[in-house]
Amino acid sequence: MSETIRLALPLLAAAQAQKHVTHNEALLTLDALSQPVVQSRDLTAPPAGNEGDLYLVAPGATGDWAGRDGELAEWRNGAWAFHVPFEGLTIHLLAEGLDLKFLSATWRDMDGLLSETRILARGSFGAQSEHRVIEAELSALSGGFAETGLIIPSRAIVFCVSTRTVADITGAGSYDCGFAGEPSKFGGSLGIAAGSSNLGVIGPTAVYSDTAVRLTANGGSFTGGTVRLAVHCFFPVAPAA
């Protein structure tokens, strides 16, 4: 056996000359594959790499990456070195802030603790259960109310809309947070001073069309201010076709 089974690290041979070359090669590979951080998974052509950069080679790769689809490409000493993934290998995808794991010859998204969507469970047919945090900011508030875009997706189950006033609200004495028709669904008479916050927890509420969150002014119209808000919801995904 000339290399290790999982990481393919080169092994020293008896009476081998220049043992340091083989030893250093093994250390470089171990460095690349220990808690690996990958720059991107979308490239098919080799970029101008920096020493030690890792890329997950996208399908249909060309140039020096041709025939290396799904492998890890490392820019090392002025050339590309390639690492064949093994079952259970986990990498962190820097560009997307999520983890991938190599399972059954396929790279699978593991979402990641810091992602806006947390996959709670995934079925073999592609169905999955997600927890989502959807953020928006409403600035330069004016008029009787202000609305986000249609940020809550149809079929989501909402548990909370949290808010924080980040710039003093003027014109109104307080504000409510909710939907059109239910203006205080997620909290009423909320604070207008910068730093005020609210966790608008409710019982699980399903929405059946894409929906906006509305802030409604109390005691006068908005003439200024900024509020950040976040929707905390569950979202189901049906099996793939």
Side-chain angles (χ1 to χ4, degrees):
M1 185 170 66
S2 61
E3 59 185 30
T4 62
I5 295 172
R6 295 181 70 238
L7 298 183
L9 303 178
L11 296 174
L12 296 174
Q16 175 182 324
Q18 294 188 312
K19 288 182 173 63
H20 67 283
V21 175
T22 302
H23 178 71
N24 290 342
E25 182 75 13
L27 289 178
L28 289 170
T29 299
L30 185 61
D31 183 67
L33 296 181
S34 297
Q35 300 179 324
V37 176
V38 173
Q39 301 296 314
S40 169
R41 60 171 165 179
D42 298 324
L43 299 181
T44 56
N50 296 314
E51 187 70 17
D53 278 354
L54 278 173
Y55 294 86
L56 177 55
V57 180
T62 61
D64 289 344
W65 287 5
R68 299 288 187 171
D69 296 5
E71 296 184 16
L72 299 179
E74 178 193 5
W75 184 250
R76 180 195 297 177
N77 296 327
W80 291 105
F82 298 94
H83 307 287
V84 177
F86 53 85
E87 183 75 7
L89 176 63
T90 300
I91 63 176
H92 180 70
L93 190 57
L94 191 62
E96 300 176 45
L98 56 79
D99 292 342
L100 305 180
K101 181 169 286 192
F102 193 72
L103 298 170
S104 301
T106 301
W107 286 106
R108 301 181 184 274
D109 289 9
M110 303 304 290
D111 65 278
L113 292 173
L114 301 182
S115 66
E116 294 177 348
T117 297
R118 178 70 175 167
I119 300 173
L120 304 176
R122 181 188 286 112
S124 59
F125 296 142
Q128 59 191 41
S129 298
E130 300 176 353
H131 184 274
R132 296 185 179 183
V133 176
I134 305 165
E135 295 180 318
E137 182 175 281
L138 295 172
S139 59
L141 298 177
S142 65
F145 66 87
E147 279 189 337
T148 66
L150 301 176
I151 61 173
I152 305 178
S154 177
R155 278 14 184 218
I157 299 175
V158 180
F159 296 97
C160 173
V161 174
S162 56
T163 58
R164 181 173 297 276
T165 304
V166 295
D168 288 344
I169 294 173
T170 56
S174 65
Y175 70 93
D176 298 341
C177 177
F179 300 139
E182 294 183 276
S184 59
K185 181 79 171 177
F186 305 108
S189 300
L190 303 180
I192 60 173
S196 300
S197 65
N198 183 63
L199 298 175
V201 177
I202 60 172
T205 299
V207 298
Y208 296 99
S209 61
D210 294 345
T211 302
V213 177
R214 174 178 290 196
L215 305 183
T216 302
N218 297 322
S221 296
F222 292 128
T223 58
T226 300
V227 174
R228 290 177 179 166
L229 58 89
V231 177
H232 308 260
C233 64
F234 170 87
F235 187 76
V237 177

Short mmCIF file of all heavy atoms in Angstrom, two decimals, residues 88-132:
data_model
loop_
_atom_site.label_atom_id
_atom_site.label_comp_id
_atom_site.label_asym_id
_atom_site.label_seq_id
_atom_site.Cartn_x
_atom_site.Cartn_y
_atom_site.Cartn_z
N GLY A 88 -18.75 10.77 3.68
CA GLY A 88 -18.80 11.46 4.97
C GLY A 88 -17.96 12.72 5.04
O GLY A 88 -18.03 13.45 6.04
N LEU A 89 -17.16 13.03 4.00
CA LEU A 89 -16.34 14.23 4.03
C LEU A 89 -17.25 15.46 4.07
O LEU A 89 -18.19 15.59 3.28
CB LEU A 89 -15.45 14.30 2.79
CG LEU A 89 -14.59 15.57 2.65
CD1 LEU A 89 -13.59 15.69 3.79
CD2 LEU A 89 -13.87 15.60 1.30
N THR A 90 -16.96 16.37 5.00
CA THR A 90 -17.73 17.61 5.15
C THR A 90 -16.83 18.79 4.84
O THR A 90 -15.69 18.86 5.29
CB THR A 90 -18.29 17.74 6.57
OG1 THR A 90 -19.15 16.63 6.85
CG2 THR A 90 -19.09 19.02 6.73
N ILE A 91 -17.36 19.72 4.03
CA ILE A 91 -16.62 20.94 3.70
C ILE A 91 -17.48 22.15 4.02
O ILE A 91 -18.72 22.05 4.07
CB ILE A 91 -16.22 20.97 2.20
CG1 ILE A 91 -17.46 20.99 1.31
CG2 ILE A 91 -15.31 19.80 1.87
CD1 ILE A 91 -17.14 21.13 -0.18
N HIS A 92 -16.84 23.28 4.26
CA HIS A 92 -17.56 24.54 4.47
C HIS A 92 -17.44 25.37 3.21
O HIS A 92 -16.33 25.62 2.72
CB HIS A 92 -17.02 25.31 5.66
CG HIS A 92 -17.74 26.61 5.90
ND1 HIS A 92 -19.05 26.64 6.36
CD2 HIS A 92 -17.37 27.90 5.69
CE1 HIS A 92 -19.43 27.90 6.45
NE2 HIS A 92 -18.44 28.68 6.05
N LEU A 93 -18.58 25.80 2.67
CA LEU A 93 -18.62 26.57 1.44
C LEU A 93 -18.64 28.05 1.80
O LEU A 93 -19.67 28.59 2.23
CB LEU A 93 -19.85 26.17 0.62
CG LEU A 93 -19.95 26.68 -0.80
CD1 LEU A 93 -18.75 26.25 -1.63
CD2 LEU A 93 -21.24 26.16 -1.44
N LEU A 94 -17.52 28.71 1.62
CA LEU A 94 -17.34 30.08 2.11
C LEU A 94 -18.30 31.05 1.43
O LEU A 94 -18.90 31.91 2.08
CB LEU A 94 -15.90 30.51 1.88
CG LEU A 94 -15.44 31.81 2.55
CD1 LEU A 94 -15.54 31.71 4.06
CD2 LEU A 94 -14.02 32.15 2.14
N ALA A 95 -18.47 30.94 0.11
CA ALA A 95 -19.28 31.90 -0.64
C ALA A 95 -20.75 31.88 -0.23
O ALA A 95 -21.44 32.89 -0.35
CB ALA A 95 -19.16 31.63 -2.13
N GLU A 96 -21.23 30.73 0.27
CA GLU A 96 -22.65 30.59 0.59
C GLU A 96 -22.90 30.42 2.09
O GLU A 96 -24.05 30.39 2.52
CB GLU A 96 -23.26 29.41 -0.17
CG GLU A 96 -23.16 29.57 -1.68
CD GLU A 96 -23.69 28.36 -2.42
OE1 GLU A 96 -24.77 27.85 -2.06
OE2 GLU A 96 -23.02 27.90 -3.37
N GLY A 97 -21.85 30.30 2.87
CA GLY A 97 -22.01 30.18 4.31
C GLY A 97 -22.72 28.93 4.75
O GLY A 97 -23.46 28.94 5.74
N LEU A 98 -22.49 27.81 4.05
CA LEU A 98 -23.13 26.56 4.44
C LEU A 98 -22.15 25.40 4.30
O LEU A 98 -21.08 25.54 3.72
CB LEU A 98 -24.41 26.32 3.64
CG LEU A 98 -24.37 26.30 2.11
CD1 LEU A 98 -23.85 24.98 1.57
CD2 LEU A 98 -25.76 26.56 1.56
N ASP A 99 -22.56 24.27 4.85
CA ASP A 99 -21.74 23.07 4.81
C ASP A 99 -22.30 22.08 3.78
O ASP A 99 -23.51 22.00 3.57
CB ASP A 99 -21.69 22.39 6.17
CG ASP A 99 -20.96 23.20 7.22
OD1 ASP A 99 -20.19 24.11 6.83
OD2 ASP A 99 -21.15 22.94 8.42
N LEU A 100 -21.40 21.34 3.15
CA LEU A 100 -21.77 20.26 2.25
C LEU A 100 -21.16 18.98 2.78
O LEU A 100 -20.05 18.99 3.33
CB LEU A 100 -21.25 20.51 0.83
CG LEU A 100 -21.62 21.81 0.12
CD1 LEU A 100 -20.99 21.85 -1.27
CD2 LEU A 100 -23.12 21.98 0.03
N LYS A 101 -21.87 17.87 2.60
CA LYS A 101 -21.35 16.57 3.01
C LYS A 101 -21.45 15.62 1.83
O LYS A 101 -22.44 15.61 1.10
CB LYS A 101 -22.12 16.01 4.21
CG LYS A 101 -21.60 14.66 4.70
CD LYS A 101 -22.20 14.27 6.05
CE LYS A 101 -21.59 15.08 7.17
NZ LYS A 101 -21.93 14.54 8.51
N PHE A 102 -20.41 14.81 1.62
CA PHE A 102 -20.37 13.85 0.52
C PHE A 102 -20.99 12.54 0.99
O PHE A 102 -20.41 11.82 1.80
CB PHE A 102 -18.93 13.64 0.06
CG PHE A 102 -18.80 12.93 -1.25
CD1 PHE A 102 -19.13 13.56 -2.45
CD2 PHE A 102 -18.36 11.62 -1.31
CE1 PHE A 102 -19.01 12.91 -3.67
CE2 PHE A 102 -18.23 10.95 -2.51
CZ PHE A 102 -18.56 11.60 -3.71
N LEU A 103 -22.19 12.24 0.49
CA LEU A 103 -22.93 11.06 0.89
C LEU A 103 -23.44 10.33 -0.35
O LEU A 103 -24.05 10.95 -1.23
CB LEU A 103 -24.11 11.44 1.78
CG LEU A 103 -23.79 12.12 3.12
CD1 LEU A 103 -25.06 12.65 3.76
CD2 LEU A 103 -23.08 11.15 4.05
N SER A 104 -23.20 9.03 -0.41
CA SER A 104 -23.68 8.20 -1.53
C SER A 104 -23.27 8.80 -2.87
O SER A 104 -24.09 8.93 -3.78
CB SER A 104 -25.19 8.02 -1.45
OG SER A 104 -25.57 7.40 -0.25
N ALA A 105 -22.01 9.20 -2.97
CA ALA A 105 -21.41 9.72 -4.20
C ALA A 105 -22.00 11.05 -4.64
O ALA A 105 -21.86 11.44 -5.80
CB ALA A 105 -21.53 8.69 -5.33
N THR A 106 -22.62 11.80 -3.72
CA THR A 106 -23.23 13.09 -4.06
C THR A 106 -22.93 14.11 -2.96
O THR A 106 -23.00 13.78 -1.77
CB THR A 106 -24.75 12.95 -4.21
OG1 THR A 106 -25.04 11.99 -5.23
CG2 THR A 106 -25.40 14.27 -4.58
N TRP A 107 -22.62 15.34 -3.38
CA TRP A 107 -22.47 16.42 -2.42
C TRP A 107 -23.86 16.91 -2.02
O TRP A 107 -24.66 17.30 -2.88
CB TRP A 107 -21.67 17.58 -3.02
CG TRP A 107 -20.20 17.30 -3.12
CD1 TRP A 107 -19.49 17.02 -4.25
CD2 TRP A 107 -19.26 17.29 -2.04
NE1 TRP A 107 -18.16 16.82 -3.94
CE2 TRP A 107 -17.99 16.99 -2.60
CE3 TRP A 107 -19.36 17.51 -0.67
CZ2 TRP A 107 -16.84 16.90 -1.82
CZ3 TRP A 107 -18.21 17.42 0.11
CH2 TRP A 107 -16.97 17.12 -0.47
N ARG A 108 -24.15 16.93 -0.73
CA ARG A 108 -25.46 17.32 -0.24
C ARG A 108 -25.35 18.54 0.68
O ARG A 108 -24.47 18.61 1.53
CB ARG A 108 -26.14 16.17 0.52
CG ARG A 108 -26.31 14.91 -0.32
CD ARG A 108 -27.00 13.81 0.48
NE ARG A 108 -27.09 12.57 -0.27
CZ ARG A 108 -28.08 12.27 -1.11
NH1 ARG A 108 -29.04 13.14 -1.30
NH2 ARG A 108 -28.09 11.12 -1.76
N ASP A 109 -26.27 19.49 0.47
CA ASP A 109 -26.30 20.67 1.33
C ASP A 109 -26.67 20.27 2.75
O ASP A 109 -27.62 19.53 2.97
CB ASP A 109 -27.35 21.67 0.84
CG ASP A 109 -26.95 22.35 -0.46
OD1 ASP A 109 -25.95 21.92 -1.07
OD2 ASP A 109 -27.64 23.30 -0.87
N MET A 110 -25.91 20.80 3.71
CA MET A 110 -26.23 20.59 5.12
C MET A 110 -26.67 21.91 5.74
O MET A 110 -26.69 22.07 6.95
CB MET A 110 -25.01 20.02 5.85
CG MET A 110 -24.49 18.72 5.27
SD MET A 110 -25.75 17.42 5.18
CE MET A 110 -25.96 17.06 6.92
N ASP A 111 -27.00 22.91 4.91
CA ASP A 111 -27.42 24.28 5.22
C ASP A 111 -26.43 25.00 6.11
O ASP A 111 -25.69 25.83 5.65
CB ASP A 111 -28.85 24.35 5.76
CG ASP A 111 -29.09 23.69 7.08
OD1 ASP A 111 -29.28 22.48 7.10
OD2 ASP A 111 -29.09 24.42 8.07
N GLY A 112 -26.34 24.74 7.39
CA GLY A 112 -25.40 25.46 8.25
C GLY A 112 -26.13 26.24 9.33
O GLY A 112 -27.20 26.80 9.11
N LEU A 113 -25.52 26.31 10.48
CA LEU A 113 -26.15 26.95 11.63
C LEU A 113 -26.36 28.44 11.42
O LEU A 113 -27.24 29.04 12.02
CB LEU A 113 -25.28 26.73 12.88
CG LEU A 113 -25.22 25.29 13.38
CD1 LEU A 113 -24.21 25.19 14.51
CD2 LEU A 113 -26.59 24.81 13.85
N LEU A 114 -25.57 29.06 10.58
CA LEU A 114 -25.67 30.50 10.41
C LEU A 114 -26.44 30.89 9.16
O LEU A 114 -26.49 32.05 8.81
CB LEU A 114 -24.26 31.12 10.36
CG LEU A 114 -23.40 30.87 11.59
CD1 LEU A 114 -22.05 31.57 11.45
CD2 LEU A 114 -24.10 31.35 12.85
N SER A 115 -27.04 29.95 8.48
CA SER A 115 -27.79 30.29 7.28
C SER A 115 -29.18 30.80 7.63
O SER A 115 -29.70 30.57 8.71
CB SER A 115 -27.92 29.06 6.37
OG SER A 115 -28.71 28.08 6.99
N GLU A 116 -29.82 31.53 6.68
CA GLU A 116 -31.16 32.06 6.91
C GLU A 116 -32.21 30.96 6.84
O GLU A 116 -33.33 31.15 7.32
CB GLU A 116 -31.46 33.14 5.88
CG GLU A 116 -30.57 34.38 6.05
CD GLU A 116 -30.80 35.42 4.99
OE1 GLU A 116 -31.48 35.10 3.99
OE2 GLU A 116 -30.31 36.54 5.15
N THR A 117 -31.88 29.84 6.19
CA THR A 117 -32.79 28.70 6.13
C THR A 117 -32.12 27.51 6.79
O THR A 117 -31.01 27.12 6.40
CB THR A 117 -33.14 28.35 4.67
OG1 THR A 117 -33.83 29.46 4.08
CG2 THR A 117 -34.03 27.12 4.61
N ARG A 118 -32.78 26.93 7.77
CA ARG A 118 -32.27 25.76 8.46
C ARG A 118 -33.11 24.56 8.05
O ARG A 118 -34.33 24.53 8.28
CB ARG A 118 -32.35 25.95 9.97
CG ARG A 118 -31.87 24.75 10.78
CD ARG A 118 -30.39 24.56 10.66
NE ARG A 118 -29.90 23.49 11.53
CZ ARG A 118 -28.70 22.97 11.44
NH1 ARG A 118 -27.85 23.40 10.52
NH2 ARG A 118 -28.32 22.02 12.25
N ILE A 119 -32.51 23.58 7.38
CA ILE A 119 -33.23 22.38 6.98
C ILE A 119 -33.34 21.46 8.19
O ILE A 119 -32.34 20.98 8.71
CB ILE A 119 -32.52 21.69 5.80
CG1 ILE A 119 -32.45 22.64 4.60
CG2 ILE A 119 -33.25 20.41 5.42
CD1 ILE A 119 -31.62 22.11 3.45
N LEU A 120 -34.56 21.24 8.63
CA LEU A 120 -34.80 20.42 9.81
C LEU A 120 -34.81 18.94 9.47
O LEU A 120 -34.40 18.10 10.27
CB LEU A 120 -36.12 20.82 10.46
CG LEU A 120 -36.26 22.31 10.84
CD1 LEU A 120 -37.65 22.58 11.39
CD2 LEU A 120 -35.20 22.71 11.86
N ALA A 121 -35.34 18.61 8.29
CA ALA A 121 -35.40 17.21 7.86
C ALA A 121 -35.51 17.19 6.34
O ALA A 121 -36.05 18.11 5.73
CB ALA A 121 -36.59 16.49 8.49
N ARG A 122 -34.98 16.13 5.74
CA ARG A 122 -35.02 16.00 4.29
C ARG A 122 -35.34 14.55 3.94
O ARG A 122 -34.72 13.62 4.45
CB ARG A 122 -33.67 16.41 3.67
CG ARG A 122 -33.64 16.33 2.17
CD ARG A 122 -32.23 16.57 1.61
NE ARG A 122 -31.84 17.95 1.70
CZ ARG A 122 -30.88 18.41 2.50
NH1 ARG A 122 -30.25 17.58 3.32
NH2 ARG A 122 -30.56 19.68 2.50
N GLY A 123 -36.32 14.33 3.04
CA GLY A 123 -36.69 13.01 2.61
C GLY A 123 -35.91 12.57 1.39
O GLY A 123 -35.26 13.36 0.73
N SER A 124 -36.02 11.29 1.07
CA SER A 124 -35.26 10.73 -0.05
C SER A 124 -35.78 11.21 -1.39
O SER A 124 -35.09 11.13 -2.41
CB SER A 124 -35.30 9.20 0.00
OG SER A 124 -36.64 8.74 -0.04
N PHE A 125 -37.03 11.72 -1.46
CA PHE A 125 -37.60 12.22 -2.70
C PHE A 125 -37.45 13.73 -2.86
O PHE A 125 -38.03 14.33 -3.75
CB PHE A 125 -39.08 11.85 -2.81
CG PHE A 125 -39.34 10.37 -2.88
CD1 PHE A 125 -40.43 9.81 -2.23
CD2 PHE A 125 -38.49 9.52 -3.59
CE1 PHE A 125 -40.66 8.45 -2.29
CE2 PHE A 125 -38.72 8.16 -3.65
CZ PHE A 125 -39.80 7.62 -3.00
N GLY A 126 -36.70 14.35 -1.98
CA GLY A 126 -36.47 15.79 -2.08
C GLY A 126 -37.36 16.64 -1.21
O GLY A 126 -37.17 17.86 -1.13
N ALA A 127 -38.36 16.05 -0.56
CA ALA A 127 -39.20 16.82 0.38
C ALA A 127 -38.36 17.24 1.57
O ALA A 127 -37.44 16.54 1.99
CB ALA A 127 -40.38 15.98 0.84
N GLN A 128 -38.66 18.42 2.11
CA GLN A 128 -37.93 18.84 3.29
C GLN A 128 -38.75 19.81 4.13
O GLN A 128 -39.72 20.41 3.68
CB GLN A 128 -36.59 19.48 2.92
CG GLN A 128 -36.65 20.69 2.03
CD GLN A 128 -35.26 21.06 1.51
OE1 GLN A 128 -34.46 20.20 1.15
NE2 GLN A 128 -34.97 22.34 1.48
N SER A 129 -38.35 19.90 5.39
CA SER A 129 -38.95 20.83 6.34
C SER A 129 -37.89 21.87 6.69
O SER A 129 -36.77 21.50 7.08
CB SER A 129 -39.40 20.10 7.60
OG SER A 129 -40.41 19.15 7.30
N GLU A 130 -38.25 23.14 6.55
CA GLU A 130 -37.28 24.22 6.74
C GLU A 130 -37.76 25.17 7.84
O GLU A 130 -38.96 25.41 8.00
CB GLU A 130 -37.12 25.03 5.45
CG GLU A 130 -36.64 24.24 4.26
CD GLU A 130 -36.58 25.06 2.99
OE1 GLU A 130 -37.03 26.23 3.01
OE2 GLU A 130 -36.08 24.54 1.98
N HIS A 131 -36.82 25.69 8.58
CA HIS A 131 -37.09 26.86 9.42
C HIS A 131 -36.37 28.04 8.78
O HIS A 131 -35.19 27.96 8.46
CB HIS A 131 -36.60 26.67 10.85
CG HIS A 131 -36.96 27.84 11.73
ND1 HIS A 131 -36.18 28.96 11.83
CD2 HIS A 131 -38.06 28.09 12.49
CE1 HIS A 131 -36.76 29.84 12.63
NE2 HIS A 131 -37.90 29.34 13.04
N ARG A 132 -37.13 29.11 8.56
CA ARG A 132 -36.57 30.27 7.87
C ARG A 132 -36.62 31.51 8.76
O ARG A 132 -37.55 31.71 9.53
CB ARG A 132 -37.35 30.57 6.58
CG ARG A 132 -37.26 29.48 5.52
CD ARG A 132 -37.95 29.92 4.24
NE ARG A 132 -37.87 28.90 3.20
CZ ARG A 132 -38.34 29.07 1.96
NH1 ARG A 132 -38.90 30.22 1.62
NH2 ARG A 132 -38.25 28.09 1.08
#
